């Protein structure tokens, strides 16, 4: 049986920006600290809520580092590491590990509509490189692809895949 990454309420954080479009890490740090003080059980950064698709790899890395420093082992840090490009998703996941994330959240490849084997290969490649607990993010309304229960079962055989964020609307 796999260990639990976290229990309770994990909050996906929005990314604050300055008027010039740069990330405001000071405000971000304040927001994360406030969430922890109010009792959240995990912090999730660089997800779709945090505008990850509009951030550079460097900005995403800096956000993870900022969050890690503020969290200071008080709650788990889960970092988004998703891309339709498997190699890029793996790079983001490795960056997350190097920045100190405790786990990653990775969306299914969007637009390309991978078959079951493609989904399995995508996640196996990512986890091989980052070797962090991974949460698969199934959100077909955004990706155009729904992970079937049979595929979930196969994904669960991967020792690094710990959970699924199920957003299909059909439990």
């Amino acid at each position: 049986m796999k260990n639990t990454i976290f229990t309770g309420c994990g909050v996906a954080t929005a990314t604050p920006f300055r008027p010039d479009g740069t990330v405001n890490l000071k405000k971000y740090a304040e927001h994360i600290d406030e969430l922890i003080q109010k009792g959240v059980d995990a912090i999730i950064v660089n997800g779709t809520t945090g505008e990850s698709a509009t951030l550079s790899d460097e900005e995403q890395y800096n956000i993870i580092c900022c969050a890690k420093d503020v969290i200071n082992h008080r709650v788990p840090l889960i970092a988004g590491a998703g891309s339709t490009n498997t190699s890029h998703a793996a790079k983001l996941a490795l960056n997350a590990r190097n920045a100190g994330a405790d786990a990653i959240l990775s969306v299914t490849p969007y637009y390309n509509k991978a078959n079951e084997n493609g989904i399995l290969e995508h996640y196996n490649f990512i986890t091989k490189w980052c070797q962090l607990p991974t949460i698969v993010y199934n959100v077909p309304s955004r990706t155009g692809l729904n992970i079937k229960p049979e595929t979930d079962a196969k994904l669960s055989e991967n020792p690094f895949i710990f959970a699924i964020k199920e957003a299909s609307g059909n439990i």
Side-chain angles (χ1 to χ4, degrees), residues 99-120:
D102 298 300
I104 64 162
L105 170 68
S106 190
V107 69
T108 56
Y110 44 92
Y111 187 76
N112 295 333
K113 297 183 182 178
N115 62 22
E116 180 181 59
N117 189 55
I119 293 168
L120 295 170

Side-chain angles (χ1 to χ4, degrees), residues 141-168:
S141 67
R142 299 285 186 234
T143 63
L145 174 70
N146 186 35
I147 299 177
K148 297 176 184 171
E150 309 82 63
T151 308
D152 284 337
K154 290 179 183 175
L155 285 168
S156 73
E157 295 171 8
N158 180 317
F160 291 104
I161 295 180
F162 281 67
I164 184 164
K165 179 181 178 182
E166 178 56 55
S168 70

Side-chain angles (χ1 to χ4, degrees):
M1 184 167 175
K2 298 176 187 179
N3 293 328
T4 302
I5 300 170
F6 70 92
T7 59
C9 177
V11 175
T13 57
T15 303
F17 294 92
R18 293 186 186 92
D20 66 0
T22 58
V23 175
N24 189 333
L25 292 176
K26 182 177 185 265
K27 287 287 184 196
Y28 198 64
E30 291 169 2
H31 179 59
I32 289 171
D33 191 54
E34 180 181 11
L35 289 170
I36 294 170
Q37 288 180 31
K38 290 188 178 197
V40 302
D41 299 299
I43 298 290
I44 304 162
V45 303
N46 293 337
T48 52
T49 301
E51 280 81 29
S52 61
T54 66
L55 298 170
S56 70
D57 292 0
E58 181 181 7
E59 288 170 321
Q60 289 189 41
Y61 182 82
N62 291 338
I63 285 169
I64 299 167
C65 290
C66 172
K68 187 66 175 179
D69 288 346
V70 172
I71 291 169
N72 193 26
H73 307 287
R74 294 182 285 172
V75 298
L77 171 59
I78 302 165
S83 174
T84 195
N85 177 318
T86 301
S87 294
H88 186 234
K91 177 184 174 193
L92 292 172
L94 185 58
N95 286 347
R97 184 184 82 187
N98 291 340
D102 298 300
I104 64 162
L105 170 68
S106 190
V107 69
T108 56
Y110 44 92
Y111 187 76
N112 295 333
K113 297 183 182 178
N115 62 22
E116 180 181 59
N117 189 55
I119 293 168
L120 295 170
E121 290 298 320
H122 178 78
Y123 284 108
N124 288 335
F125 187 85
I126 292 167
T127 60
K128 174 185 171 190
W129 282 98
C130 76
Q131 297 190 5
L132 277 177
T134 298
I135 302 168
V136 172
Y137 185 12
N138 184 37
V139 58
S141 67
R142 299 285 186 234
T143 63
L145 174 70
N146 186 35
I147 299 177
K148 297 176 184 171
E150 309 82 63
T151 308
D152 284 337
K154 290 179 183 175
L155 285 168
S156 73
E157 295 171 8
N158 180 317
F160 291 104
I161 295 180
F162 281 67
I164 184 164
K165 179 181 178 182
E166 178 56 55
S168 70
N170 183 5
I171 296 299

